[in-house]
Amino acid sequence: MTVSNSDLLVSFDVESLFTSVPLKDACATLLKRLDSDRTLPDRTKLSPTEIHNLLGMYLNATSFRWRDTFYQQTEGAAKGSPLSLIVANLFMENFEETALQTATIRPKVWLRYVDDTFVVWQHGAEEINNFLQHINSQHPTIKFIMEMENQGAIPFLHTKITRAAQGYLSHQVYREHTHTDRYLNYRSYHHPPVIEIHQQDLG
């Protein structure tokens, strides 16, 4: 991928995606996908409506305990649930398709991973703010924050993307300023996924 000197490297990030996902809209998106899937009967005897209803029951039955009190989560998807990532991704696929199709001007590159988006913008700094307003007007619960490149570099998904020679982009591992280079010993008694999560949090 090459970029020109006038292109801007930008990152958009959804604020608190999982707790902001509108479950009703997300389930409606899933139902539409299931209805159009001609191979679904080959994999399950459940109808699209039955799958939709089961998913709705599961997603709306999230409870948790804080100290001695139990609470029910009434908005968004539960963090840590295996279904939350799937539902969030399905909703965001539909969201970004609509947002990009209805935008008056579009980015040169739009790459998304769950709630993080890497963008190459070719229309100038003023128009990028208008584009941010546009995507933030698509749904009342989905709001993006924007980060622009600093000295020709921008962090994205634990990588630092930098402008290199002749318009090419290079990348390297990115560490937050709070990174301490301290890790759990791999031979400790922690389960491997715990070590990986711990290292991601430190990074």
Side-chain angles (χ1 to χ4, degrees):
M1 180 189 302
T2 60
V3 295
S4 67
N5 292 332
S6 59
D7 290 339
L8 297 174
L9 305 182
V10 187
S11 176
F12 294 104
D13 181 21
V14 180
E15 296 183 271
S16 304
L17 174 62
F18 289 108
T19 54
S20 300
V21 171
L23 295 182
K24 183 177 180 180
D25 294 342
C27 288
T29 299
L30 175 71
L31 179 60
K32 185 177 180 180
R33 290 285 189 92
L34 293 173
D35 281 332
S36 62
D37 185 355
R38 296 181 180 180
T39 66
L40 184 65
D42 299 333
R43 302 194 305 276
T44 179
K45 294 182 180 180
L46 295 175
S47 69
T49 300
E50 289 172 333
I51 296 174
H52 168 270
N53 292 342
L54 286 171
L55 181 66
M57 289 175 56
Y58 176 85
L59 292 173
N60 288 287
T62 301
S63 60
F64 58 93
R65 178 181 178 181
W66 171 248
R67 295 184 177 175
D68 295 327
T69 305
F70 287 89
Y71 299 87
Q72 181 177 4
Q73 182 172 333
T74 58
E75 296 180 359
K79 288 186 176 181
S81 167
L83 278 178
S84 294
L85 182 59
I86 298 172
V87 170
N89 249 326
L90 285 172
F91 174 79
M92 287 304 299
E93 283 182 15
N94 184 68
F95 176 96
E96 70 180 355
E97 181 179 356
T98 302
L100 292 175
Q101 287 180 350
T102 56
T104 54
I105 52 177
R106 303 173 187 175
K108 179 185 293 186
V109 175
W110 172 280
L111 302 174
R112 179 183 60 84
Y113 181 80
V114 190
D115 60 341
D116 293 311
T117 308
F118 172 75
V119 170
V120 177
W121 184 259
Q122 74 277 34
H123 303 292
E126 182 177 344
E127 289 295 341
I128 191 66
N129 290 314
N130 294 333
F131 181 75
L132 175 63
Q133 292 180 9
H134 168 71
I135 59 177
N136 277 341
S137 67
Q138 298 302 301
H139 198 282
T141 67
I142 302 298
K143 301 300 177 186
F144 289 82
I145 57 175
M146 179 177 68
E147 182 178 359
M148 300 182 68
E149 64 177 274
N150 183 20
Q151 297 181 347
I154 190 167
F156 178 65
L157 298 179
H158 296 291
T159 63
K160 182 179 181 181
I161 302 174
T162 307
R163 293 175 182 269
Q166 300 178 340
Y168 289 96
L169 298 178
S170 65
H171 65 278
Q172 63 190 81
V173 175
Y174 174 75
R175 301 297 189 194
E176 297 283 354
H177 67 278
T178 54
H179 181 65
T180 62
D181 281 322
R182 297 173 64 187
Y183 298 93
L184 291 173
N185 191 315
Y186 189 79
R187 297 184 182 279
S188 69
Y189 290 98
H190 289 82
H191 196 271
V194 174
I195 296 177
E196 293 174 4
I197 293 172
H198 178 73
Q199 291 175 349
Q200 290 174 6
D201 290 341
L202 287 175

